[in-house]
Amino acid sequence: MNKKISRRKLLWGAATAASVALIRTVTGQSIHAAVPDPTKMPGPLPGPVGKRSPFEHPVRKPSDISSRSPLQDLYGMITPSDLHFERHHAGIPAIDPHQYELLIHGMVDRPTVFTLADLRRFPALSRICFIECSGNFRTGKETMTPQDICGLTSQSEWTGVLLSTLFREVGVHPKATWFLAEGSDAAVMTRSIPVSKGWDDAMIVYGQNGEAIRPEQGYPARLLLPGWEGNTSVKWIRRIELSDQPFMTREETSKYTEPIKDGKIRQFSFEIDARSIITFPAWPVQLEKGWIEIRGLAWSGRGKIKRVEVSVDTGKTWLPARLQEPVLDKAHVCFRYLWNWRGEETEILSRAIDETGYIQPTLGQLVKARGVDMGGYHLNPVTAWRIRRDGAVLFKPENWK
Ligand SMILES: Nc1nc2c(c(=O)[nH]1)N[C@H]1C(S)=C(S)[C@@H](COP(=O)(O)O)O[C@H]1N2
Ligand SMILES: [Mo]
């Protein structure tokens, strides 16, 4: 095979062979990399699309059904689109945007089919908010990263049209109280949503972080329900049906329901409860003595984060962390806390308080409120990192069964 190599690539290749340097990554791992003296040889010329530095390798962690965002490798509040977590019930459908149609019907005056071009003609709105899967808590061993524990949350700037605009366009009946959202993937994912959310801040989005939404996130359009459990933000949306009752779909019977006390099941738990996680220092970071900045993310599906508190003494005392502006509604917020680690053994923790006054609970409090059979959804416990005397940082796995 005679592969064509451009002169540009050749020069870059030759130059990279010039010297070898030891690079220390944020996570403390060392990698060998060839680095030319950048002042001796012109680098590659501008290209049509950018790529990451060859020294940066943030990756999602895929399983069959989902992949998780590497929260510990990210800066700021936006998740790069190619690192947004994924959760698919039947894979990623390929949809031709020219064939795409969204039908809105049921209790409406004017049942309407919207093409993608139709959707783009309406006033466009952009908002930054997170999407979090309600099944976003894992525990069990000390060697877990923030990605392993709660990587099923990501944040983008989403662009699209408010669902309320489309509701007015089709003339939603005043007596309609629910709507069905249906996806066009092989799972034909469907959920029942209260109409009030449609009138409030629901959107049909076609843009993500400045470009067309990614296939994994619902290309060419998805429903976005800010602050609500990820499952309700139906991707590849093709149909919305207005009704005066919920539809009792597969995804709100066997799944996405929560055992509560006395053998009862709660069917609809839409809002994401306030949560936080320290993303640095976290396993597998090796800590050195002295001043460090504890960093993390906090978010709430009910509104803005009002406060994040950090404890560096195993939960005995709590002090306010600094919140990075902007602190947005139903959005990941970065927090930081300066700490002088003198080499003592301790545990560091964070807890989020949102503007409704809700305080992120401990696992013990969750069990007390919901019982030991509380299932795996909507778990947002305070999580702790254990700092050993030798500087090792380990997750403190707590089990409740
Ligand atoms: N059509 C469709 N929509 C879907 C899903 C799906 O499998 N099919 N998964 C849901 C679940 S469980 C979650 S958590 C979010 C995940 O969104 P993301 O993959 O863009 O992160 O999409 C939701 N919308
Ligand atoms: Mo999910």
Side-chain angles (χ1 to χ4, degrees):
M1 245 193 338
N2 193 1
K3 270 200 194 147
K4 251 195 168 172
I5 298 175
S6 71
R7 181 178 141 79
R8 208 194 290 171
K9 271 190 197 150
L10 241 172
L11 284 180
W12 181 251
T16 48
S19 71
V20 171
L22 194 65
I23 310 273
R24 234 177 121 87
T25 64
V26 193
T27 54
Q29 291 157 303
S30 295
I31 50 165
H32 288 280
V35 199
D37 178 345
T39 65
K40 298 292 183 236
M41 178 97 66
L45 295 170
V49 284
K51 51 182 187 298
R52 291 208 165 87
S53 157
F55 303 105
E56 300 295 328
H57 306 285
V59 283
R60 298 195 279 224
K61 267 197 182 170
S63 68
D64 312 344
I65 57 165
S66 64
S67 70
R68 314 169 77 81
S69 284
L71 302 179
Q72 66 284 349
D73 299 330
L74 305 181
Y75 304 103
M77 69 194 306
I78 299 289
T79 312
S81 299
D82 62 355
L83 296 173
H84 194 288
F85 87 93
E86 303 162 89
R87 171 75 178 97
H88 316 306
H89 290 244
I92 306 163
I95 297 169
D96 177 348
H98 304 292
Q99 307 288 317
Y100 174 81
E101 286 181 345
L102 169 63
L103 164 67
I104 305 187
H105 69 142
M107 292 175 69
V108 304
D109 293 334
R110 295 170 292 279
T112 309
V113 169
F114 298 93
T115 65
L116 193 60
D118 292 337
L119 294 177
R120 287 209 189 108
R121 281 184 63 193
F122 288 103
L125 192 92
S126 296
R127 87 170 278 174
I128 294 171
C129 66
F130 68 82
I131 293 180
E132 181 182 19
C133 179
S134 55
N136 192 22
F137 177 58
R138 284 222 189 133
T139 180
K141 54 180 185 178
E142 291 183 316
T143 51
M144 289 173 81
T145 63
Q147 177 173 30
D148 298 327
I149 299 160
C150 62
L152 297 177
T153 187
S154 303
Q155 177 150 289
S156 299
E157 184 196 53
W158 303 100
T159 300
V161 51
L162 277 172
L163 190 54
S164 59
T165 304
L166 302 181
F167 275 8
R168 273 188 283 275
E169 191 69 14
V170 300
V172 166
H173 288 189
K175 290 211 168 112
T177 47
W178 291 80
F179 68 88
L180 180 82
E182 181 184 272
S184 52
D185 53 335
V188 192
M189 253 265 325
T190 45
R191 285 296 303 261
S192 309
I193 311 294
V195 157
S196 53
K197 185 67 174 172
W199 288 115
D200 179 17
D201 60 358
M203 294 176 73
I204 300 293
V205 293
Y206 46 76
Q208 179 184 6
N209 296 332
E211 62 177 343
I213 192 170
R214 298 253 166 166
E216 302 96 305
Q217 264 67 62
Y219 184 85
R222 85 183 294 167
L223 179 65
L224 175 73
L225 300 185
W228 283 22
E229 62 178 15
N231 186 259
T232 61
S233 284
V234 173
K235 301 189 276 192
W236 315 291
I237 189 160
R238 70 171 183 191
R239 190 166 76 89
I240 286 177
E241 181 179 345
L242 278 298
S243 174
D244 55 6
Q245 56 195 332
F247 290 76
M248 305 302 180
T249 75
R250 182 187 64 214
E251 253 61 59
E252 48 212 25
T253 50
S254 63
K255 289 177 181 170
Y256 303 102
T257 49
E258 289 170 77
I260 47 175
K261 278 188 169 168
D262 308 323
K264 290 190 181 146
I265 307 274
R266 183 163 68 177
Q267 189 171 18
F268 295 108
S269 307
F270 291 123
E271 280 166 321
I272 291 284
D273 297 316
R275 184 163 186 187
S276 68
I277 177 132
I278 291 172
T279 53
F280 179 86
W283 186 80
V285 164
Q286 184 68 32
L287 214 55
E288 278 161 33
K289 276 183 214 167
W291 286 99
I292 62 150
E293 189 173 68
I294 294 176
R295 298 186 190 122
L297 290 173
W299 62 98
S300 167
R302 292 207 179 79
K304 288 183 181 166
I305 286 293
K306 191 169 75 187
R307 215 164 67 237
V308 175
E309 294 172 344
V310 166
S311 173
V312 292
D313 59 5
T314 319
K316 285 192 216 61
T317 56
W318 294 82
L319 284 163
R322 298 189 73 162
L323 300 186
Q324 167 75 56
E325 293 290 340
V327 177
L328 301 175
D329 199 31
K330 303 167 186 171
H332 286 175
V333 175
C334 304
F335 68 85
R336 52 173 66 117
Y337 181 90
L338 264 186
W339 178 42
N340 190 0
W341 183 55
R342 296 191 174 86
E344 73 276 19
E345 195 163 307
T346 187
E347 284 174 20
I348 59 172
L349 312 89
S350 66
R351 70 178 174 211
I353 296 119
D354 71 18
E355 63 182 345
T356 69
Y358 176 96
I359 304 170
Q360 183 183 0
T362 61
L363 191 60
Q365 287 168 326
L366 280 174
V367 173
K368 218 170 152 199
R370 297 193 208 156
V372 283
D373 296 321
M374 62 184 169
Y377 295 117
H378 290 276
L379 298 180
N380 59 327
V382 166
T383 42
W385 297 102
R386 240 182 223 146
I387 315 286
R388 275 195 337 214
R389 236 175 268 283
D390 63 2
V393 181
L394 295 163
F395 177 53
K396 185 183 178 188
E398 292 179 277
N399 289 303
W400 66 96
K401 295 219 179 186

